[in-house]
Each structure stands twice: as C-alpha cells, then as structure tokens.
Amino acid sequence: MITHRPRRLRKSANLRALVREHHLHPEDFIYPIFVVEGVGIKKPIGSLDGQFHFSVDQLSEVIDRVVKAGIPAVLLFGLPDPALKNELGSAAFLKEGVVQRAIRAIKKLAPTLVVMTDVCLCAYTNHGHCGPLLDTRVDNDKTLKILAKMAVSHAQAGADVVAPSGMMDGMVSAIRAGLDDQAFMDVAILSYSVKYASSFYGPFRDAAGSSPQVCEGELAHRKTYQMDPANRREALKEAALDVDQGADMLMVKPALAYLDVISDLKTNFNLPLVAYHVSGEFMMVKAAGKLGLLNTDQAMVESLISIKRAGADLIISYAALEVLETLKGRV
Ligand code: PBG
C-alpha cells in the first residue's frame, strides 16, 4: 500500500492553488527605469527587451503603467550627457542632473509612488568605474565622499530610498552620515550589500553606457570591488557590515545564479531582502523564447517565483510590468 500520495494535492488547478506556497504580487516588485538627457525621447533599448530610454518629459506613460499594475516603487538609473563625464563622476550630484530632474517629475506625476535611485558613479565617470581611480584601483574613500553627495542630491530632489550599488567599503555609513547631516533622517538606504562581479550585467552596461573603458589588468573588470562569484560565506560578512552601518534593506545581485545566497541572507538577517533579477538573467529567457526553445512568459514567472521561494521579499525586475499585466493577479 502507498500511504503517501502527494499527487492527491496536484489533481486540479484549484487544489494546486490551495497548496501553493509562494505567489507573485504587484507589491513584490520594484521597476527599473532608465532616464536620459534630452526632450521627447522614448527610445527602445536594444539590449533589453521592452525597456526604453526615457527623457524626463516622457516619463508619464511608464509611470502610469507602473501605478496601474500596482507596483509600489521604481528604481531610477541615469544616463548623463557624455560631455559631463569626468574622472571623478562629479555630474552625479548636480541639482539639475537627469536623475534629480526625473525624481521631481515622478513625484509630481505620482506622489505616492516610492522613488528609489541607484547611487553609483559608473555612468558618470569617463573611465566607467564606480569611483575615481588611484593607480590601478578605484579609490574607496574618495568615492565615499562623492556617493554621499550624490545621495543627498537625490534626497533633496525627493527620493525616498537611495540604493548604493558600487560595493565600496563603508558606503552605507558614509551615505547615512551625509543624509543625516542634511536632515534626511527619513530617507532609507537599500544597500546592494552582496553584489557579485557578474557576467549577467552585460545587457545593462550596454543600456546604461557604464562599462569599464580600460581594457588592461585589474581595471578591465570590477573584480577589485564586486564579489567573487565563488564566495558564499563572504556574503554574510558583507551583509553584516551593512547592517552595522545602518542599512534599511539588503540586496543580493544577481538573483537566479545566487539563490543560495538569497536563502542565506533570509535566514541570517531580519531586514527586508531584495533580489535583483538582472539584465542577463532577464534577457536569457527572452532570447531563448525567441529561438523557440521555451515559453517566455512561463519561464519568466518560474524565474521570479524561484527568487521568492529562495527568500527574497522584493524583486527588482525588468519583467515586472509585462508579467503583472499578463497575469493580472493570477499567480
Ligand atoms: C551600477 C549597476 C550595474 C547594475 C545595476 N547597477 C552594473 C554593474 O555593476 O556593472 C546591473 C543591473 C543589471 O544587469 O540589470 N553599478
């Protein structure tokens, strides 16, 4: 006799729905948006299906879609005028910078939408690294000062959450101090605590124009500041440091290739945990779908639910809008 027959609970769609352990809700998502200088621009990003470069005046359509889908937050990435890029990345904290203007515009369009901003210098430096260089390295402590100024300028424009992604040591405490000093005690920090030096960022770097421009030695990549994909225990150390420095939320990035790390952070820390379903992870499914190798929508939902199952509370995903619009609350 077979006593246990797990298949009993898989017999029908409703039974399966009753015993389903994880769901995707609109509130689980943060939607990334790329903003560019200029006027009247809504240009498809070749490397990222369904994503656009928007000039600030063109944001209303996408913001409407985000609000209608019930997504509570957007994450802004800025592409500054290339002429403003310099060794320090100092265009990152201009009052009239593209991100600062976008924050103000979005707060007018949708005052209750949570506006998060990427705080990193790679799109603002002429060498494409996440901070000014010192010999063959990114100068950690000099970068911190610029990141703090950048975060304050975002807060001044109305950002609710700043998200430092440069993997500089001490970035959370430097930004916290900068914000508090200007009386932005209520602006939260979502730290990209555990960010790996990953190949899966390829399509994003194309979209953001933020690839390292140097082809030699330790400057040809970001391995001197982003984590080694082989390391698991070190993720706990990085997260603990950010918790100590006052991070409000933690992030693991990428997501799919690092589900073990998401699970580890969920078990060991009690802060909201965000996972970044990155550009390469998104585009692999899109590309495979185009080749007729799999069903894109189903594979995308399966990817996203696996990220939740691993322990993420929130997911940053380029697929958020299309998935929610297709599902209309059905998963
Ligand atoms: C900037 C940044 C990157 C991503 C988010 N913020 C690129 C990088 O570190 O090179 C990648 C996002 C994605 O691939 O979707 N530091």
Side-chain angles (χ1 to χ4, degrees):
M1 197 184 76
I2 302 175
T3 313
H4 297 289
R5 290 183 183 273
R7 287 185 56 187
R8 284 179 195 129
L9 300 180
R10 295 183 198 136
K11 204 165 59 178
S12 69
N14 273 337
L15 262 173
R16 291 192 295 275
L18 284 171
V19 299
R20 186 162 295 131
E21 297 175 38
H22 295 282
H23 301 265
L24 294 173
H25 303 294
E27 296 82 6
D28 297 333
F29 289 103
I30 298 166
Y31 190 64
I33 294 179
F34 296 89
V35 284
V36 296
E37 293 287 356
V39 184
I41 299 168
K42 183 193 171 189
K43 190 167 167 262
I45 300 175
S47 64
L48 276 176
D49 257 40
Q51 317 303 306
F52 296 85
H53 283 145
F54 293 103
S55 54
V56 173
D57 61 304
Q58 295 295 307
L59 285 168
S60 69
E61 185 189 315
V62 66
I63 294 299
D64 267 6
R65 272 180 80 193
V66 167
V67 170
K68 280 211 182 82
I71 297 174
V74 291
L75 174 63
L76 300 183
F77 292 97
L79 284 84
D81 175 353
L84 294 179
K85 296 192 186 201
N86 62 21
E87 157 65 26
L88 295 173
S90 52
F93 52 84
L94 294 175
K95 182 162 184 267
E96 295 304 319
V98 67
V99 170
Q100 290 81 352
R101 288 190 293 114
I103 299 166
R104 294 196 291 265
I106 293 170
K107 281 291 171 187
K108 271 198 197 125
L109 292 164
T112 58
L113 188 66
V114 173
V115 176
M116 305 184 172
T117 57
D118 188 72
V119 174
C120 188
L121 301 175
C122 57
Y124 297 88
T125 53
N126 49 14
H127 43 73
H129 275 287
C130 300
L133 305 180
L134 182 65
D135 302 324
T136 59
R137 310 219 333 139
V138 171
D139 185 338
N140 191 86
D141 296 14
K142 197 167 174 186
T143 305
L144 295 183
K145 296 191 180 80
I146 309 172
L147 291 178
K149 282 190 185 178
M150 183 178 186
V152 167
S153 77
H154 292 175
Q156 281 165 341
D160 302 289
V161 179
V162 291
S165 67
M167 288 298 282
M168 294 299 129
D169 296 334
M171 67 184 182
V172 172
S173 55
I175 288 172
R176 187 71 271 158
L179 290 170
D180 289 359
D181 184 55
Q182 298 295 311
F184 290 113
M185 284 80 171
D186 289 338
V187 171
I189 300 177
L190 159 57
S191 180
Y192 286 65
S193 311
V194 180
K195 178 172 178 180
Y196 288 92
S198 171
S199 307
F200 293 108
Y201 306 149
F204 172 96
R205 289 186 187 168
D206 227 32
S210 62
S211 298
Q213 300 299 310
V214 191
C215 304
E216 285 156 23
E218 294 292 357
L219 283 176
H221 49 68
R222 303 201 200 287
K223 294 179 192 173
T224 63
Y225 41 107
Q226 298 179 348
M227 281 176 58
D228 183 335
N231 292 0
R232 180 169 180 174
R233 190 179 50 200
E234 191 188 3
L236 295 173
K237 171 170 129 185
E238 281 285 3
L241 292 173
D242 283 359
V243 172
D244 266 1
Q245 291 173 44
D248 298 284
M249 299 192 256
L250 303 175
M251 193 195 301
V252 173
K253 175 185 175 182
L256 291 175
Y258 299 86
L259 295 177
D260 55 335
V261 178
I262 294 175
S263 171
D264 284 354
L265 259 67
K266 178 69 164 191
T267 313
N268 286 284
F269 299 96
N270 57 10
L271 293 184
L273 181 58
V274 182
Y276 201 138
H277 175 228
V278 301
S279 56
E281 298 177 318
F282 165 76
M283 282 306 287
M284 276 199 302
V285 169
K286 288 279 184 183
K290 271 185 201 149
L291 289 173
L293 299 176
L294 46 72
N295 178 308
T296 309
D297 288 347
Q298 287 171 11
M300 207 63 94
V301 169
E302 189 176 329
S303 299
L304 295 169
I305 206 84
S306 74
I307 296 169
K308 278 204 79 179
R309 194 190 62 234
D313 299 298
L314 296 167
I315 307 172
I316 302 168
S317 177
Y318 307 100
L321 268 180
E322 60 190 56
V323 163
L324 291 171
E325 286 171 353
T326 319
L327 299 176
K328 299 210 176 57
R330 274 187 289 111
V331 168

